[in-house]
Coordinates of all heavy atoms in Angstrom, one line a residue:
M27 N 157.4 135.0 81.9 CA 156.6 134.2 82.7 C 155.2 134.0 82.2 O 154.7 135.0 81.6 CB 156.5 134.8 84.1 CG 155.7 134.0 85.1 SD 155.9 134.5 86.8 CE 157.5 133.8 87.1
E28 N 154.7 132.9 82.4 CA 153.3 132.6 81.8 C 152.2 133.2 82.7 O 152.4 133.5 83.9 CB 153.2 131.1 81.6 CG 154.1 130.6 80.6 CD 153.8 129.3 80.0 OE1 152.6 129.0 79.8 OE2 154.6 128.5 79.6
L29 N 151.1 133.3 82.1 CA 150.0 134.1 82.7 C 149.6 133.7 84.1 O 149.5 134.6 85.0 CB 148.7 133.9 81.8 CG 147.5 134.7 82.2 CD1 147.8 136.1 82.1 CD2 146.4 134.3 81.2
Y30 N 149.5 132.5 84.5 CA 149.1 132.1 85.8 C 150.2 131.5 86.7 O 150.0 131.1 87.8 CB 148.0 131.0 85.7 CG 146.8 131.5 85.0 CD1 146.5 131.0 83.7 CD2 146.0 132.5 85.5 CE1 145.4 131.4 83.0 CE2 144.9 133.0 84.7 CZ 144.6 132.5 83.5 OH 143.6 133.0 82.8
D31 N 151.5 131.6 86.3 CA 152.5 131.1 87.0 C 152.7 131.7 88.5 O 152.9 131.0 89.4 CB 153.9 131.3 86.3 CG 154.1 130.2 85.2 OD1 153.1 129.4 85.0 OD2 155.1 130.3 84.6
D32 N 152.4 133.0 88.6 CA 152.4 133.7 89.9 C 151.4 133.1 90.8 O 151.7 132.9 92.0 CB 152.2 135.2 89.8 CG 153.5 135.9 89.2 OD1 154.6 135.3 89.3 OD2 153.3 137.0 88.8
L33 N 150.2 132.8 90.3 CA 149.2 132.2 91.2 C 149.5 130.7 91.5 O 149.3 130.3 92.7 CB 147.8 132.2 90.4 CG 147.2 133.6 90.4 CD1 145.8 133.5 89.5 CD2 146.9 134.1 91.7
Y34 N 150.1 130.0 90.6 CA 150.5 128.6 90.9 C 151.5 128.6 92.1 O 151.4 127.9 93.0 CB 151.1 127.9 89.7 CG 150.2 127.8 88.5 CD1 150.7 128.0 87.2 CD2 148.9 127.3 88.6 CE1 149.9 127.9 86.1 CE2 148.1 127.1 87.5 CZ 148.6 127.4 86.2 OH 147.8 127.3 85.1
K35 N 152.5 129.5 91.9 CA 153.5 129.7 92.9 C 152.9 130.1 94.3 O 153.4 129.6 95.3 CB 154.6 130.6 92.4 CG 155.4 130.0 91.3 CD 156.4 131.0 90.7 CE 157.2 130.3 89.5 NZ 158.1 131.2 88.9
K36 N 152.0 131.1 94.2 CA 151.4 131.6 95.5 C 150.7 130.4 96.2 O 151.0 130.2 97.4 CB 150.4 132.6 95.1 CG 149.5 133.0 96.3 CD 148.4 133.9 95.8 CE 147.3 134.1 96.9 NZ 146.2 134.9 96.4
W37 N 149.8 129.7 95.5 CA 149.1 128.6 96.2 C 150.0 127.5 96.6 O 149.8 126.8 97.6 CB 147.9 128.3 95.4 CG 146.8 129.3 95.6 CD1 146.4 130.3 94.6 CD2 146.1 129.7 96.8 NE1 145.5 131.1 95.1 CE2 145.3 130.8 96.5 CE3 146.1 129.1 98.0 CZ2 144.5 131.4 97.4 CZ3 145.2 129.7 99.0 CH2 144.5 130.8 98.6
A38 N 150.9 127.1 95.7 CA 151.8 126.0 96.1 C 152.6 126.3 97.3 O 152.7 125.5 98.2 CB 152.7 125.8 94.9
E39 N 153.1 127.5 97.4 CA 153.9 127.9 98.6 C 153.0 127.9 99.9 O 153.4 127.4 100.9 CB 154.5 129.3 98.4 CG 155.4 129.7 99.6 CD 156.0 131.1 99.4 OE1 156.2 131.5 98.2 OE2 156.3 131.7 100.4
L40 N 151.8 128.4 99.7 CA 150.9 128.4 100.9 C 150.6 127.0 101.4 O 150.3 126.8 102.5 CB 149.6 129.2 100.5 CG 149.7 130.7 100.4 CD1 148.5 131.3 99.8 CD2 150.0 131.3 101.8
K41 N 150.5 126.1 100.4 CA 150.0 124.7 100.8 C 151.2 123.7 100.8 O 151.0 122.5 101.1 CB 149.0 124.2 99.8 CG 147.8 125.1 99.7 CD 147.0 125.1 101.0 CE 145.8 126.1 100.9 NZ 145.0 126.1 102.1
G42 N 152.4 124.2 100.6 CA 153.6 123.3 100.6 C 153.7 122.3 99.5 O 154.0 121.2 99.7
L43 N 153.2 122.8 98.3 CA 153.2 121.9 97.1 C 154.2 122.4 96.1 O 154.7 123.5 96.2 CB 151.8 122.0 96.5 CG 150.6 121.5 97.3 CD1 149.3 121.8 96.6 CD2 150.7 120.0 97.6
D44 N 154.5 121.6 95.1 CA 155.3 122.0 94.0 C 154.4 122.8 93.0 O 153.4 122.3 92.6 CB 155.9 120.8 93.3 CG 156.8 121.2 92.2 OD1 156.8 122.2 91.6 OD2 157.7 120.3 91.8
W45 N 154.8 124.0 92.7 CA 153.9 124.9 91.8 C 153.8 124.2 90.4 O 152.7 124.4 89.8 CB 154.5 126.3 91.7 CG 155.7 126.4 90.8 CD1 157.0 126.3 91.3 CD2 155.7 126.8 89.5 NE1 157.8 126.5 90.1 CE2 157.1 126.9 89.1 CE3 154.7 127.0 88.5 CZ2 157.4 127.2 87.8 CZ3 155.1 127.4 87.2 CH2 156.5 127.4 86.9
K46 N 154.7 123.4 90.0 CA 154.6 122.8 88.7 C 153.5 121.7 88.7 O 152.9 121.4 87.7 CB 155.9 122.2 88.3 CG 157.0 123.3 88.0 CD 158.3 122.7 87.6 CE 159.3 123.9 87.5 NZ 160.7 123.4 87.3
L47 N 153.2 121.2 89.9 CA 152.1 120.2 90.0 C 150.8 121.0 89.7 O 150.0 120.5 88.9 CB 152.1 119.6 91.4 CG 150.9 118.7 91.7 CD1 150.8 117.5 90.7 CD2 150.9 118.3 93.1
L48 N 150.6 122.1 90.3 CA 149.4 122.8 90.1 C 149.2 123.3 88.6 O 148.1 123.1 88.0 CB 149.3 124.1 90.9 CG 149.0 123.9 92.4 CD1 149.1 125.2 93.2 CD2 147.7 123.2 92.6
K49 N 150.3 123.7 88.0 CA 150.3 124.1 86.6 C 150.0 122.8 85.7 O 149.2 122.9 84.8 CB 151.7 124.6 86.2 CG 151.7 125.1 84.8 CD 153.0 125.9 84.4 CE 153.0 126.3 83.0 NZ 153.5 127.6 82.8
A50 N 150.6 121.7 86.0 CA 150.3 120.5 85.3 C 148.9 120.1 85.3 O 148.3 119.7 84.4 CB 151.2 119.3 85.8
V51 N 148.3 120.2 86.6 CA 146.8 119.9 86.7 C 146.0 120.8 85.8 O 145.1 120.3 85.1 CB 146.4 120.0 88.2 CG1 144.9 119.9 88.3 CG2 147.1 118.9 89.0
A52 N 146.3 122.1 85.9 CA 145.5 123.0 85.1 C 145.7 122.8 83.6 O 144.8 122.9 82.8 CB 145.9 124.5 85.4
Q53 N 146.9 122.5 83.1 CA 147.2 122.2 81.7 C 146.4 121.0 81.3 O 145.9 121.0 80.2 CB 148.7 122.1 81.5 CG 149.5 123.3 81.5 CD 151.0 123.2 81.5 OE1 151.5 122.1 81.8 NE2 151.7 124.2 80.9
H54 N 146.5 120.0 82.1 CA 145.8 118.7 81.8 C 144.2 118.9 81.7 O 143.6 118.4 80.8 CB 146.2 117.6 82.7 CG 145.5 116.3 82.5 ND1 145.8 115.5 81.4 CD2 144.4 115.8 83.1 CE1 145.0 114.5 81.4 NE2 144.1 114.6 82.4
E55 N 143.7 119.5 82.8 CA 142.3 119.6 82.9 C 141.6 120.6 82.0 O 140.5 120.3 81.5 CB 142.0 120.0 84.4 CG 142.3 118.9 85.4 CD 141.5 117.6 85.2 OE1 140.4 117.7 84.7 OE2 142.0 116.5 85.6
S56 N 142.3 121.8 81.7 CA 141.6 122.8 81.0 C 142.4 123.5 79.9 O 142.0 124.5 79.3 CB 141.0 123.9 81.9 OG 142.1 124.6 82.4
S57 N 143.6 123.0 79.8 CA 144.6 123.7 78.9 C 144.8 125.2 79.4 O 144.9 126.1 78.6 CB 144.2 123.7 77.4 OG 144.1 122.4 76.9
E58 N 144.7 125.3 80.7 CA 144.8 126.6 81.4 C 143.8 127.6 81.0 O 144.0 128.8 80.9 CB 146.2 127.2 81.3 CG 147.3 126.4 82.0 CD 148.6 127.0 81.9 OE1 149.3 126.9 80.9 OE2 149.1 127.6 82.9
N59 N 142.5 127.1 80.8 CA 141.4 128.0 80.4 C 140.5 128.2 81.6 O 139.9 127.3 82.1 CB 140.6 127.3 79.3 CG 139.4 128.1 78.9 OD1 139.1 129.2 79.4 ND2 138.6 127.6 77.9
P60 N 140.5 129.4 82.2 CA 139.8 129.7 83.4 C 138.3 129.6 83.1 O 137.5 129.6 84.1 CB 140.2 131.1 83.8 CG 140.6 131.8 82.6 CD 141.2 130.6 81.8
N61 N 137.8 129.7 81.9 CA 136.4 129.7 81.6 C 135.9 128.3 81.2 O 134.7 128.1 80.7 CB 136.1 130.7 80.5 CG 136.4 132.1 80.9 OD1 136.0 132.5 82.0 ND2 137.2 132.8 80.1
A62 N 136.7 127.3 81.3 CA 136.4 125.9 80.8 C 135.3 125.4 81.7 O 135.2 125.5 82.9 CB 137.6 125.0 80.9
I63 N 134.3 124.7 81.1 CA 133.3 124.0 81.8 C 133.3 122.5 81.2 O 133.1 122.3 80.0 CB 131.9 124.6 81.5 CG1 131.9 126.1 82.1 CG2 130.8 123.8 82.3 CD1 130.7 126.8 81.8
G64 N 133.4 121.5 82.1 CA 133.4 120.2 81.7 C 132.0 119.6 81.5 O 131.0 120.2 82.0
K65 N 131.9 118.4 81.0 CA 130.6 117.7 80.7 C 129.9 117.4 82.0 O 128.7 117.4 82.0 CB 130.9 116.5 79.9 CG 131.3 116.8 78.5 CD 131.6 115.5 77.7 CE 132.1 115.8 76.3 NZ 132.4 114.7 75.5
A66 N 130.7 117.1 83.0 CA 130.0 116.8 84.4 C 129.8 118.0 85.2 O 129.3 117.9 86.4 CB 130.9 115.8 85.0
G67 N 130.1 119.2 84.7 CA 129.9 120.4 85.5 C 131.1 121.0 86.2 O 131.0 121.9 86.9
E68 N 132.2 120.4 85.9 CA 133.5 120.9 86.5 C 133.9 122.2 85.9 O 133.5 122.5 84.7 CB 134.6 119.9 86.4 CG 135.0 119.4 85.0 CD 134.2 118.2 84.5 OE1 133.0 118.1 84.9 OE2 134.7 117.5 83.7
I69 N 134.5 123.1 86.7 CA 134.7 124.5 86.3 C 136.1 125.0 86.4 O 136.8 124.7 87.4 CB 133.8 125.4 87.1 CG1 132.3 125.1 86.9 CG2 134.0 126.9 86.8 CD1 131.4 125.7 87.9
G70 N 136.5 125.8 85.4 CA 137.8 126.5 85.5 C 139.1 125.8 85.3 O 139.1 124.7 84.7
L71 N 140.1 126.5 85.7 CA 141.5 126.0 85.4 C 141.7 124.5 85.8 O 142.2 123.8 85.0 CB 142.5 126.8 86.2 CG 142.9 128.2 85.7 CD1 143.8 128.9 86.7 CD2 143.5 128.2 84.3
C72 N 141.3 124.2 87.0 CA 141.6 122.8 87.5 C 140.4 122.0 87.5 O 140.4 120.9 88.0 CB 142.2 122.9 88.9 SG 143.8 123.7 88.9
Q73 N 139.3 122.4 86.8 CA 138.1 121.7 86.6 C 137.5 121.2 88.0 O 137.4 120.0 88.2 CB 138.3 120.5 85.6 CG 138.6 121.0 84.2 CD 137.4 121.6 83.6 OE1 136.5 120.9 83.0 NE2 137.2 122.9 83.7
I74 N 137.2 122.1 88.8 CA 136.7 121.8 90.1 C 135.2 121.7 90.1 O 134.5 122.4 89.5 CB 137.1 123.1 91.1 CG1 138.6 123.3 91.1 CG2 136.5 122.8 92.5 CD1 139.4 122.2 91.7
M75 N 134.7 120.6 90.8 CA 133.3 120.5 90.9 C 132.8 121.5 92.0 O 133.4 121.7 93.0 CB 133.0 119.0 91.4 CG 133.4 118.0 90.3 SD 132.4 118.1 88.8 CE 130.7 117.7 89.3
P76 N 131.5 122.0 91.7 CA 131.0 123.0 92.6 C 130.8 122.5 94.0 O 131.0 123.2 95.0 CB 129.6 123.3 92.0 CG 129.9 123.1 90.5 CD 130.8 121.9 90.4
A77 N 130.5 121.2 94.2 CA 130.3 120.6 95.5 C 131.7 120.6 96.3 O 131.6 120.9 97.5 CB 129.7 119.2 95.5
L78 N 132.7 120.4 95.6 CA 134.0 120.4 96.3 C 134.3 121.8 96.7 O 134.8 122.1 97.8 CB 135.1 119.8 95.4 CG 136.5 119.9 95.9 CD1 136.7 119.0 97.2 CD2 137.5 119.5 94.9
A79 N 134.1 122.8 95.8 CA 134.3 124.1 96.1 C 133.5 124.6 97.4 O 134.0 125.3 98.3 CB 134.0 125.1 94.9
A80 N 132.3 124.2 97.4 CA 131.4 124.5 98.5 C 131.9 124.0 99.8 O 131.8 124.7 100.9 CB 130.0 124.0 98.2
A81 N 132.5 122.8 99.8 CA 133.1 122.2 101.0 C 134.2 123.0 101.5 O 134.5 123.0 102.7 CB 133.6 120.8 100.7
Y82 N 134.9 123.8 100.6 CA 136.0 124.7 101.1 C 135.6 126.2 101.1 O 136.4 127.0 101.3 CB 137.1 124.5 100.1 CG 137.9 123.2 100.1 CD1 137.8 122.3 99.1 CD2 138.5 122.9 101.3 CE1 138.5 121.1 99.2 CE2 139.2 121.7 101.4 CZ 139.2 120.8 100.4 OH 139.8 119.6 100.5
G83 N 134.2 126.4 101.1 CA 133.7 127.8 101.3 C 133.8 128.7 100.1 O 133.7 129.9 100.2
I84 N 133.9 128.1 98.9 CA 134.0 128.8 97.6 C 132.8 128.6 96.8 O 132.3 127.5 96.6 CB 135.3 128.4 96.8 CG1 136.5 128.6 97.6 CG2 135.3 129.2 95.5 CD1 136.9 130.0 98.0
K85 N 132.2 129.8 96.4 CA 130.9 129.7 95.6 C 131.2 129.2 94.1 O 132.3 129.5 93.6 CB 130.3 131.1 95.5 CG 129.8 131.5 96.9 CD 129.1 132.8 96.8 CE 130.2 133.9 96.8 NZ 129.7 135.3 96.8
K86 N 130.2 128.6 93.6 CA 130.4 128.0 92.2 C 130.8 129.1 91.3 O 131.7 128.9 90.4 CB 129.0 127.4 91.8 CG 129.0 127.0 90.4 CD 127.6 126.4 90.0 CE 127.5 126.0 88.6 NZ 126.2 125.5 88.2
E87 N 130.2 130.3 91.2 CA 130.5 131.3 90.3 C 132.0 131.9 90.5 O 132.5 132.4 89.5 CB 129.5 132.5 90.4 CG 129.4 133.2 91.7 CD 128.3 132.5 92.7 OE1 127.9 131.4 92.4 OE2 128.0 133.2 93.6
D88 N 132.5 131.7 91.7 CA 133.9 132.1 91.9 C 134.9 131.2 91.3 O 136.1 131.5 91.2 CB 134.2 132.3 93.4 CG 133.5 133.6 93.9 OD1 133.1 134.4 93.1 OD2 133.2 133.6 95.1
L89 N 134.5 130.0 90.9 CA 135.5 129.0 90.3 C 136.0 129.5 89.0 O 137.1 128.9 88.5 CB 134.8 127.6 90.2 CG 134.6 126.9 91.5 CD1 133.8 125.6 91.2 CD2 135.9 126.6 92.2
F90 N 135.4 130.4 88.3 CA 135.9 131.0 87.1 C 137.0 132.0 87.4 O 137.8 132.3 86.4 CB 134.8 131.7 86.3 CG 133.8 130.7 85.8 CD1 132.5 130.6 86.3 CD2 134.1 129.9 84.6 CE1 131.6 129.7 85.9 CE2 133.1 129.0 84.2 CZ 131.9 128.9 84.8
I91 N 137.3 132.3 88.6 CA 138.3 133.2 89.0 C 139.5 132.4 89.3 O 139.5 131.6 90.2 CB 137.9 134.1 90.2 CG1 136.7 134.9 89.8 CG2 139.1 135.0 90.6 CD1 136.0 135.6 91.0
P92 N 140.6 132.5 88.6 CA 141.8 131.6 88.7 C 142.3 131.5 90.2 O 142.6 130.4 90.7 CB 142.8 132.1 87.8 CG 142.0 132.7 86.7 CD 140.8 133.4 87.4
D93 N 142.3 132.6 90.9 CA 142.8 132.6 92.3 C 142.0 131.7 93.1 O 142.5 130.8 93.9 CB 142.8 134.0 92.8 CG 143.7 134.2 94.0 OD1 144.8 133.5 94.1 OD2 143.3 134.9 95.0
Y94 N 140.6 131.7 93.0 CA 139.8 130.9 93.8 C 139.8 129.4 93.4 O 139.8 128.5 94.2 CB 138.3 131.4 93.8 CG 138.1 132.7 94.5 CD1 137.7 133.8 93.8 CD2 138.2 132.7 95.9 CE1 137.5 135.0 94.5 CE2 138.0 133.9 96.6 CZ 137.6 135.0 95.9 OH 137.4 136.2 96.6
N95 N 140.0 129.3 92.0 CA 140.0 127.9 91.5 C 141.3 127.2 92.1 O 141.2 126.0 92.5 CB 140.0 127.9 90.0 CG 139.7 126.6 89.4 OD1 140.6 125.8 89.3 ND2 138.4 126.4 88.9
L96 N 142.3 127.9 92.0 CA 143.6 127.4 92.5 C 143.6 127.2 94.0 O 144.3 126.3 94.5 CB 144.8 128.2 92.0 CG 145.0 128.0 90.5 CD1 146.0 129.1 90.0 CD2 145.5 126.7 90.2
E97 N 142.9 128.1 94.7 CA 142.8 127.9 96.2 C 142.1 126.5 96.5 O 142.7 125.8 97.3 CB 142.0 129.0 96.8 CG 141.7 128.8 98.3 CD 140.9 129.9 98.9 OE1 140.5 130.8 98.2 OE2 140.6 129.8 100.1
V98 N 141.0 126.2 95.8 CA 140.4 124.9 96.0 C 141.3 123.8 95.6 O 141.5 122.8 96.3 CB 139.0 124.8 95.3 CG1 138.4 123.5 95.4 CG2 138.1 125.9 95.8
A99 N 141.9 123.9 94.4 CA 142.7 122.8 93.9 C 143.9 122.5 94.8 O 144.2 121.3 95.1 CB 143.2 123.1 92.5
S100 N 144.5 123.5 95.2 CA 145.7 123.4 96.1 C 145.3 122.8 97.5 O 146.0 121.9 98.0 CB 146.5 124.7 96.2 OG 145.8 125.7 96.8
T101 N 144.2 123.3 98.0 CA 143.8 122.8 99.3 C 143.4 121.4 99.2 O 143.7 120.5 100.1 CB 142.6 123.6 99.8 OG1 143.0 125.0 99.9 CG2 142.2 123.2 101.2
F102 N 142.7 121.0 98.1 CA 142.3 119.6 98.0 C 143.5 118.7 97.8 O 143.6 117.6 98.5 CB 141.4 119.5 96.8 CG 140.8 118.1 96.5 CD1 140.0 117.4 97.5 CD2 141.1 117.5 95.4 CE1 139.6 116.2 97.2 CE2 140.6 116.2 95.1 CZ 139.8 115.5 96.1
L103 N 144.4 119.1 97.0 CA 145.7 118.3 96.8 C 146.4 118.2 98.1 O 146.9 117.1 98.5 CB 146.6 118.9 95.8 CG 146.1 118.7 94.3 CD1 146.9 119.6 93.4 CD2 146.2 117.3 93.9
K104 N 146.5 119.2 98.9 CA 147.2 119.2 100.2 C 146.5 118.2 101.1 O 147.1 117.4 101.8 CB 147.3 120.6 100.8 CG 147.8 120.6 102.2 CD 149.3 120.3 102.3 CE 149.8 120.6 103.7 NZ 150.7 119.6 104.2
D105 N 145.2 118.3 101.2 CA 144.4 117.4 102.0 C 144.6 115.9 101.6 O 144.7 115.0 102.4 CB 142.9 117.7 101.9 CG 142.5 119.0 102.7 OD1 143.4 119.5 103.4 OD2 141.4 119.5 102.5
L106 N 144.7 115.7 100.3 CA 144.9 114.3 99.8 C 146.3 113.8 100.2 O 146.5 112.7 100.6 CB 144.7 114.2 98.3 CG 143.3 114.3 97.8 CD1 143.3 114.3 96.2 CD2 142.5 113.1 98.3
F107 N 147.3 114.7 100.0 CA 148.7 114.3 100.4 C 148.8 114.1 101.9 O 149.5 113.2 102.4 CB 149.7 115.3 100.0 CG 150.0 115.2 98.5 CD1 150.1 116.4 97.8 CD2 150.1 114.1 97.8 CE1 150.4 116.4 96.4 CE2 150.3 114.0 96.4 CZ 150.5 115.2 95.7
D108 N 148.0 114.9 102.7 CA 148.0 114.6 104.2 C 147.4 113.3 104.5 O 147.8 112.6 105.5 CB 147.3 115.8 104.9 CG 148.1 117.1 104.9 OD1 149.3 117.1 104.6 OD2 147.5 118.1 105.2
K109 N 146.3 113.0 103.8 CA 145.6 111.8 104.1 C 146.3 110.5 103.6 O 146.3 109.5 104.2 CB 144.2 111.8 103.4 CG 143.3 110.6 103.7 CD 141.9 110.8 103.1 CE 141.0 109.6 103.5 NZ 139.6 109.8 103.1
Y110 N 147.0 110.7 102.4 CA 147.8 109.6 101.8 C 149.3 110.0 101.7 O 149.7 110.3 100.5 CB 147.2 109.2 100.5 CG 145.8 108.8 100.6 CD1 144.8 109.7 100.2 CD2 145.3 107.6 101.0 CE1 143.4 109.4 100.2 CE2 144.0 107.3 101.1 CZ 143.0 108.1 100.7 OH 141.7 107.9 100.8
P111 N 150.0 110.1 102.8 CA 151.4 110.6 102.7 C 152.3 109.8 101.8 O 153.3 110.4 101.2 CB 151.9 110.6 104.1 CG 150.9 109.7 104.9 CD 149.6 109.7 104.1
E112 N 151.9 108.6 101.6 CA 152.8 107.7 100.6 C 152.7 108.2 99.2 O 153.6 107.9 98.4 CB 152.5 106.3 100.8 CG 151.1 105.9 100.3 CD 149.9 106.1 101.3 OE1 150.2 106.7 102.4 OE2 148.8 105.8 100.9
A113 N 151.7 109.0 98.9 CA 151.5 109.5 97.5 C 152.2 110.9 97.4 O 152.3 111.4 96.2 CB 150.0 109.6 97.2
S114 N 152.6 111.5 98.4 CA 153.2 112.8 98.3 C 154.6 112.8 97.7 O 155.2 111.8 97.6 CB 153.2 113.5 99.7 OG 154.1 112.9 100.5
M115 N 155.0 114.0 97.3 CA 156.3 114.1 96.6 C 157.3 114.0 97.6 O 158.1 114.3 98.1 CB 156.3 115.4 95.9 CG 155.2 115.5 94.9 SD 155.1 117.2 94.2 CE 153.9 117.9 95.2

C-alpha cells in the first residue's frame, strides 16, 4: 500500500467519494508531496489555498499535514458535487 492510501480512503469514505479521486488530485497537484508550495501560494498534497482552508476551519500551517490537507480537499470536492450533482460520479 502506498504512503497516503489509508488517508485517501479515510476521507473518501467520510465524504462519500471515491478514494482514487483524492489520490488522483494529489498526484496531479503535487506528485503526492505534502510539502509542496505552488506559485500562487497553494499548499500540500492537494495544493489547497489558505483562504479555502480557513473557510473550513483549518489553519494555513496545518495544510502541510496530509490529514488536514485531505480533509479540506475532500470537503471541498463533496461540497462541489452537492452543488453540481450532474458532475458527480
Side-chain angles (χ1 to χ4, degrees):
M27 182 166 284
E28 296 200 33
L29 186 59
Y30 301 111
D31 285 0
D32 286 341
L33 287 177
Y34 299 135
K35 290 175 183 178
K36 169 189 163 180
W37 285 107
E39 183 176 335
L40 286 169
K41 302 299 178 175
L43 302 169
D44 183 337
W45 74 273
K46 292 176 184 173
L47 173 63
L48 287 177
K49 182 174 181 142
V51 169
Q53 287 175 330
H54 176 77
E55 293 295 332
S56 72
S57 299
E58 294 185 279
N59 177 0
N61 298 311
I63 300 174
K65 292 178 184 177
E68 57 274 30
I69 297 171
L71 285 177
C72 295
Q73 293 292 273
I74 303 296
M75 292 299 290
L78 178 63
Y82 290 115
I84 302 296
K85 295 181 280 187
K86 176 182 177 178
E87 58 270 17
D88 289 339
L89 288 174
F90 292 103
I91 301 169
D93 198 38
Y94 289 116
N95 196 281
L96 290 170
E97 177 181 358
V98 175
S100 62
T101 303
F102 183 61
L103 286 170
K104 173 68 171 142
D105 288 350
L106 286 174
F107 286 139
D108 287 348
K109 186 173 181 176
Y110 304 103
E112 66 277 5
S114 69
M115 299 171 265

